[in-house]
Amino acid sequence: RDSHTTHLPMATTLADGMQTSYVAGSAVPYATSSTTTTTTTVQQSGQGINTVVYVTPIAAPSILGLYAFSAAAAIVGARGAHWYGISQSPLIFWPFILTLGIVQVLTALWAFRARDNLATVFHGVWGAFFIAYACLNLFFAQGTLAFLATDGNRFSEFGMYWITVAAITWVCVAASFAESLIWVLFTACMAVGATMTACAYFTTSVGILKAGGYLIFISAAIAFYQATAWLLEYQYGRPILPSLRLGRHRLTETALLNRGFGEPGVKKGQ
């Protein structure tokens, strides 16, 4: 741990743009590298109360989460588009989709640690959905729900799965305008695809189901691009593929690459 201390004026601006006020002359140890824990100590004059905040750099959670989402969404989208599908498909795919769903839930927990609200909601909700989707496929494979797995059968209960996650994803689309254009694109495709899939299960329309599957697969491809862009950016310390950042991120793209203060877990978001 870096033991360097400095005396700063009445307020200081942290890496994520937040301000903390403290009495002039209080000591603030700070990190000088990506492996150092940042500690802020605030001494309130006359009260003897110390406030200590510990922040530690972590890897960007959504890199792993978006790759997991991309793989799961590609499988589900391709099945909805009728690019493949045999009677043994549920038995083959449910363990893989279940694992990818668990990975996304874990990503949501780490995104929570990085104070990334959008990633927490998106990965958490879709991770839970894919876990449930995998369990349903297991039931199909066992024959418990085999009569519902046939095209043309109305499956309103499963439609409710899709319509609820679609509603949350539409909110994520609105929030993505503060993140990047890539996030806007793949969340919008997923929201429209999920909405159409929900309608298909309510109306037994195979055509709508196929169209929704295409959009879900396109969303998976765009999410794969976003994860790759972030992975290369964090590995090389500079943008390799355009991330098309929007809002506050567009103004601070260089700061996002700074080691230590510019890494997830220290700054707000990824």
Side-chain angles (χ1 to χ4, degrees):
R1 177 176 301 187
D2 189 352
S3 60
H4 182 77
T5 59
T6 185
H7 297 283
L8 301 176
M10 193 64 182
T12 182
T13 301
L14 302 181
D16 61 359
M18 296 174 19
Q19 286 196 346
T20 179
S21 299
Y22 56 94
V23 177
S26 60
V28 182
Y30 62 92
T32 57
S33 69
S34 61
T35 59
T36 306
T37 298
T38 303
T39 306
T40 302
T41 303
V42 180
Q43 177 74 42
Q44 295 187 9
S45 177
Q47 299 181 18
I49 300 176
N50 290 331
T51 300
V52 181
V53 179
Y54 296 94
V55 287
T56 305
I58 60 174
S62 283
I63 295 176
L64 176 61
L66 287 177
Y67 275 131
F69 168 80
S70 175
I75 294 172
V76 174
R79 179 66 183 92
H82 287 58
W83 292 350
Y84 73 89
I86 57 176
S87 59
Q88 290 79 22
S89 293
L91 181 62
I92 295 171
F93 283 115
W94 80 264
F96 188 46
I97 296 176
L98 176 65
T99 305
L100 294 172
I102 293 173
V103 169
Q104 288 184 72
V105 171
L106 294 175
T107 296
L109 297 177
W110 281 105
F112 181 85
R113 171 69 180 80
R115 295 176 293 164
D116 191 330
N117 300 315
L118 173 60
T120 300
V121 172
F122 184 83
H123 293 303
V125 169
W126 279 105
F129 173 85
F130 286 125
I131 291 173
Y133 185 92
C135 293
L136 280 178
N137 275 267
L138 176 60
F139 297 149
F140 292 151
Q142 293 176 336
T144 307
L145 299 175
F147 70 98
L148 294 173
T150 305
D151 289 333
N153 285 341
R154 186 172 181 177
F155 196 175
S156 300
E157 291 79 5
F158 194 38
M160 287 301 300
Y161 275 43
W162 284 98
I163 202 168
T164 51
V165 294
I168 297 172
T169 307
W170 279 113
V171 178
C172 290
V173 174
S176 296
F177 282 96
E179 181 66 38
S180 74
L181 183 59
I182 304 300
W183 268 86
V184 173
L185 291 175
F186 81 76
T187 54
C189 286
M190 198 64 187
V192 176
T195 303
M196 296 183 71
T197 302
C199 293
Y201 282 111
F202 277 109
T203 62
T204 70
S205 172
V206 177
I208 296 177
L209 182 63
K210 289 182 178 180
Y214 275 98
L215 285 171
I216 292 172
F217 190 87
I218 292 172
S219 174
I222 300 174
F224 182 90
Y225 172 87
Q226 177 67 90
T228 302
W230 274 354
L231 177 60
L232 296 177
E233 180 176 310
Y234 278 99
Q235 285 300 110
Y236 288 96
R238 58 184 177 85
I240 302 297
L241 297 175
S243 294
L244 304 179
R245 299 185 187 275
L246 299 173
R248 63 184 177 88
H249 292 301
R250 180 174 57 184
L251 301 176
T252 60
E253 186 155 0
T254 302
L256 292 174
L257 303 178
N258 291 341
R259 300 298 182 187
F261 280 128
E263 292 183 313
V266 178
K267 68 181 180 69
K268 183 177 181 180
Q270 301 176 69

